[in-house]
Amino acid sequence: VSAKPLDLHGLGASRRSKSISMRGELIGSQESLTLDVNAWLPRAAEQYNISPDLRDYVLHPAVVNVSGVPNTNSDAFELRDWLTFRPEFGQLAYKTFKGKPTFAEHQNNDHRKAYGAIFDAQLRMMPGYDANHARLFLLLAFDRNHDARLCNDILAGRHNTYSKGTWYKAYTCSICGETFTGRSKPCNHIKSRTTMMPDGRIAYRKCHVLEGFECSAVRNPA
C-alpha cells in the first residue's frame, strides 16, 4: 500500500527553505517528516541532470519491500539486514536509498539519465506479525521536465508500481542455510525464480550487506 502521489508545485513547495515539513497523512504515516532535500538536491541535480527546483517534482511515497518476504526474483531482505549499519556510508542499510536516482524500467546504467531522486527512506513496523516484518517506504521523486507523461500518469493513478535496485554482497539459502558470496558457487536449491521444494518449502536467497542504489517506475515489479 502506498500513499497518494503529491504534486510539489501544487503544494507550494519552496526551493529556498533548508528543510520542508511533510504532514504524516500526506505520506501514509502517523508522524510528520522533515526533509533536508533542499540542502542536497541542487548538487545532486548537477550529477543526475535533473531539476534543482523542488516545485518541478511529483512525489510518490511507495512501499518497495516487505522484510523477510521473498520476491519473484528469489530475493528476500530481512529486517536485521536493513537495520545493519554500513560504516562506509555512515548509514543504516535502508537509508542508503536516500539521495539515489530514480529511473524507469531499471534503465540505470547512466546516472545522468535519471528521472529524479529518492528524497527519503523509512522502515515502518507491521504490528501483529510474529516475524517482525516491516515495510520499506521510499519517497520517490520524478522530474516533470524529464518525463511529463510518466508524472501525469503517477498523479492520475495510472501508474503506481515500482521496483527497487539493491546491491548485496552475500546471501544465505533458505533451504540449506549455507551462506555464499559473489565468488562462491551456489547450492542447487536456488533457481532463477522463487522455487517451491517438494516438501512445500520455498527456496530463495536471504540477502546480506545491503546497499540501495536506485528505484524505478516499472510495469511489472518483482
Side-chain angles (χ1 to χ4, degrees):
V1 178
S2 301
K4 292 182 179 180
L6 307 171
D7 182 349
L8 294 186
H9 182 273
L11 289 176
S14 170
R15 64 176 299 181
R16 294 183 176 86
S17 60
K18 295 302 181 183
S19 63
I20 59 173
S21 180
M22 309 277 310
R23 299 195 312 274
E25 62 267 23
L26 293 178
I27 54 175
S29 174
Q30 295 181 347
E31 299 179 356
S32 297
L33 179 67
T34 299
L35 301 177
D36 64 348
V37 61
N38 272 343
W40 55 264
L41 180 61
R43 295 292 179 251
E46 295 173 356
Q47 299 294 321
Y48 294 158
N49 196 28
I50 56 178
S51 173
D53 192 336
L54 201 61
R55 296 169 295 183
D56 287 333
Y57 288 88
V58 167
L59 183 67
H60 201 179
V63 178
V64 297
N65 179 247
V66 174
S67 64
V69 178
N71 61 25
T72 54
N73 290 331
S74 296
D75 294 326
F77 306 87
E78 302 288 336
L79 180 59
R80 63 177 176 271
D81 289 294
W82 284 129
L83 293 175
T84 297
F85 188 77
R86 298 297 309 275
E88 61 269 51
F89 304 109
Q91 297 280 4
L92 298 176
Y94 80 92
K95 279 291 187 182
T96 59
F97 281 102
K98 180 181 175 180
K100 300 298 173 59
T102 55
F103 293 95
E105 300 297 344
H106 294 303
Q107 300 298 309
N108 54 35
N109 290 331
D110 185 354
H111 66 265
R112 292 194 58 80
K113 295 181 179 180
Y115 281 52
I118 301 170
F119 283 2
D120 200 17
Q122 294 185 321
L123 268 182
R124 300 177 187 168
M125 297 303 299
M126 298 173 64
Y129 287 84
D130 294 336
N132 288 327
H133 291 304
R135 293 187 180 101
L136 174 60
F137 278 78
L138 299 182
L139 297 185
L140 305 173
F142 294 88
D143 181 3
R144 283 184 180 276
N145 300 305
H146 188 95
D147 193 328
R149 171 181 277 183
L150 174 61
C151 288
N152 288 335
D153 284 347
I154 291 172
L155 287 173
R158 292 187 294 269
H159 186 96
N160 62 1
T161 47
Y162 303 95
S163 176
K164 64 178 180 58
T166 312
W167 299 121
Y168 57 88
K169 294 185 177 181
Y171 64 88
T172 299
C173 173
S174 65
I175 300 300
C176 65
E178 291 293 321
T179 298
F180 306 91
T181 63
R183 295 184 178 182
S184 57
K185 185 178 180 180
C187 62
N188 292 326
H189 301 115
I190 306 298
K191 306 298 182 182
S192 59
R193 295 289 179 180
T194 304
T195 303
M196 182 75 74
M197 305 301 292
D199 61 3
R201 291 180 297 168
I202 298 176
Y204 59 91
R205 291 178 288 264
K206 299 179 181 181
C207 302
H208 313 302
V209 196
L210 309 178
E211 176 194 349
F213 68 93
E214 64 102 354
C215 192
S216 289
V218 297
R219 294 299 175 187
N220 297 298

